[in-house]
Amino acid sequence: MAKEYDVVVLGGGTGGYVAAIEAAKKGLSVAVVEKDRLGGTCLHRGCIPSKALLRSAEVFQTVKRAEEFGVAVEGSSSVNFLKAIERKNQIVDQLTNGIHQLFKKGKIDLYEGTGTILGPSIFSPTAGTISIEFNDGSENEMIIPKNLIIATGSRPRSLKGLELDEKDVFSSDGALQMEELPKSILIVGGGVIGMEWASMLHDFGVDVTVLEYADRIVPTEDQEISKELTRLFKKKKIKMVTSAEVQPDSLVKQTGSVTINALVKGETQSFTAEKMLVSVGRAANVENIGLENTDVVVDRGFIQVNERFQTKESHMFAIGDCIPTLQLAHVAMHEGIVAASYIAGEAVEELDYDLVPRCIYTSPEIASVGISEETAKERGYEVKKGKFFFRGIGKALVFGESDGFIKVIADKKTDDLLGVSMIGPHVTDMISEATLAQVLNATPWEIGETIHPHPTLSEAFGEAALAVDGNQIHG
């Protein structure tokens, strides 16, 4: 007899495991089906391992600058990349074990295998029964969910004709498996992931060239943020080529090098490096999970849901990267919480994606919440703005990291806060104050009147808010 659960989650990534824990907290019986390791892309092939390596690169750069701080370092500094990988793996393992402990605490059953959604059968009059092919080869099993949450995540995209062999031409997944640093690399794609890798590899000492199709890097961010990152990366000698249409069929792989052509402002140019990283977005994992056995609608590669994350099958929900919302781990978490809460019979509020903070872990870091100045104007707002540079902040000078600024935009008519964009030291740790300000409908004046301790980097936010009305103290 197939076992029945109140909730089955298909996929144990960030969104899936959080949804499972939330449902268990509400007294529901819960199972998770995961074909790989708990934690999914974020923990094993994305957020955590890449940030661990970024931290190693940051430490290397700090050591190289040690004399600026009056610290003598004996001998020449160098990167032990295998040691950095070992540290990354230890962090990942520790966090993975933590999730397993949370599952035990919540009495959540974990099925380690590939789950497929079946149509109506003798087991269930509605679609949704899950057939599990276990990783260890043991006999297949079926479980019956009263409610199903699909959290199958996403995978790296490539360009048609550009083969990812994970040896010379990497995806972001494959790049994390490198055991030695190349001398040079071409990065196709200047979005969030591409620029994080560009920053990391440069700081490790790799010669980096970025090819971006749009007319600027990090094109989803405020234009002034993009311009500042471009300036600072050029200063570091990171080569960035924008308005570059890569020609996938031109790829030539030779021993020790890869070459590809790109059409740059009407002119064909050739680029060569030891390795290549392709970072052109992520595709939802919606194939081979049995959706054809259901009435779930897939449009343009994503599962379609309502504001409660229900699919067309009302007992089936979908969250995270497999639906057309922001592909961020913390977004998937909160979507999972909303879905689990609704299943438990609680009233839920629709997520406002304008209130989601977005972080880019380059050096310097980028963080934003709300809408950009360009988007605000497109939506018909009359905008007023304030900007304050970190070079005017004592703590930034103490850190030796004074590049960048914080920008605040508001509605000129109502004084409502519309968005905050930051580029500079540790801004990914500071964006939460701006997010809370937007959630609470704060005005720039209220932010500026809030006392920010001195000396801290957060003073820059207070100053930028005051600058909206020309009231900044130190600028």
Side-chain angles (χ1 to χ4, degrees), residues 151-165:
T152 46
S154 64
R155 63 189 183 277
R157 291 182 186 274
S158 186
L159 298 173
K160 188 176 180 180
L162 189 56
E163 180 187 353
L164 299 173
D165 60 17

Side-chain angles (χ1 to χ4, degrees), residues 151-451:
T152 46
S154 64
R155 63 189 183 277
R157 291 182 186 274
S158 186
L159 298 173
K160 188 176 180 180
L162 189 56
E163 180 187 353
L164 299 173
D165 60 17
E166 307 297 15
K167 178 182 175 184
D168 296 306
V169 181
F170 294 104
S171 68
S172 56
D173 285 1
L176 283 167
Q177 304 307 313
M178 286 192 297
E179 294 186 351
E180 60 180 303
L181 292 166
K183 291 182 174 62
S184 59
I185 194 164
L186 292 171
I187 298 179
V188 178
V192 174
I193 296 173
M195 296 317 293
E196 286 185 351
W197 275 98
S199 181
M200 176 209 303
L201 291 172
H202 168 270
D203 286 353
F204 274 138
V206 178
D207 182 55
V208 177
T209 300
V210 178
L211 305 176
E212 167 55 40
Y213 180 79
D215 61 0
R216 61 189 177 98
I217 59 171
V218 288
T220 56
E221 293 299 318
D222 186 280
Q223 286 186 16
E224 289 191 74
I225 295 292
S226 176
K227 184 177 179 180
E228 179 71 354
L229 187 65
T230 299
R231 181 185 75 81
L232 294 172
F233 273 20
K234 283 183 177 179
K235 188 176 176 182
K236 290 182 173 186
K237 308 295 190 226
I238 297 175
K239 294 179 283 293
M240 290 163 291
V241 183
T242 55
S243 301
E245 184 179 350
V246 169
Q247 309 296 304
D249 294 338
S250 69
L251 176 68
V252 176
K253 293 188 284 187
Q254 296 178 317
T255 302
S257 72
V258 293
T259 299
I260 200 163
N261 295 337
L263 191 64
V264 183
K265 298 176 182 176
E267 179 184 342
T268 299
Q269 297 184 24
S270 182
F271 300 90
T272 300
E274 185 179 333
K275 303 290 183 183
M276 178 185 292
L277 169 63
V278 179
S279 178
V280 290
R282 299 184 64 85
N285 293 324
V286 295
E287 306 88 354
N288 305 315
I289 59 173
L291 291 179
E292 66 277 6
N293 300 320
T294 74
D295 290 331
V296 173
V297 175
V298 176
D299 183 31
R300 287 169 288 186
F302 293 96
I303 297 172
Q304 301 302 298
V305 295
N306 63 18
E307 68 278 2
R308 297 178 297 273
F309 306 105
Q310 282 176 295
T311 67
K312 195 173 179 182
E313 298 260 16
S314 61
H315 64 297
M316 294 186 188
F317 299 73
I319 62 169
D321 285 6
C322 65
I323 66 174
T325 56
L326 291 170
Q327 292 186 323
L328 298 170
H330 47 284
V331 168
M333 290 181 189
H334 281 268
E335 290 171 346
I337 290 169
V338 170
S341 298
Y342 182 74
I343 290 169
E346 298 178 3
V348 295
E349 290 188 16
E350 183 177 351
L351 286 184
D352 183 347
Y353 291 94
D354 281 348
L355 299 181
V356 172
R358 305 173 299 278
C359 299
I360 306 176
Y361 296 85
T362 46
S363 177
E365 293 182 343
I366 293 170
S368 56
V369 68
I371 57 177
S372 67
E373 180 180 356
E374 298 77 43
T375 301
K377 289 177 178 177
E378 289 170 3
R379 293 186 185 180
Y381 290 104
E382 187 177 358
V383 171
K384 60 179 180 177
K385 60 183 178 180
K387 189 160 66 170
F388 196 85
F389 289 85
F390 279 103
R391 62 176 177 262
I393 298 297
K395 187 67 174 288
L397 297 176
V398 168
F399 272 10
E401 299 176 35
S402 57
D403 288 323
F405 59 83
I406 295 179
K407 177 180 177 179
V408 176
I409 64 167
D411 183 350
K412 195 170 185 178
K413 293 179 180 177
T414 66
D415 209 33
D416 287 339
L417 183 65
L418 296 176
V420 178
S421 296
M422 305 179 175
I423 178 169
H426 304 281
V427 295
T428 61
D429 296 313
M430 294 203 294
I431 196 63
S432 294
E433 181 186 354
T435 304
L436 181 61
Q438 287 219 261
V439 169
L440 297 179
N441 242 354
T443 65
W445 177 85
E446 289 170 321
I447 296 166
E449 284 296 301
T450 300
I451 297 174

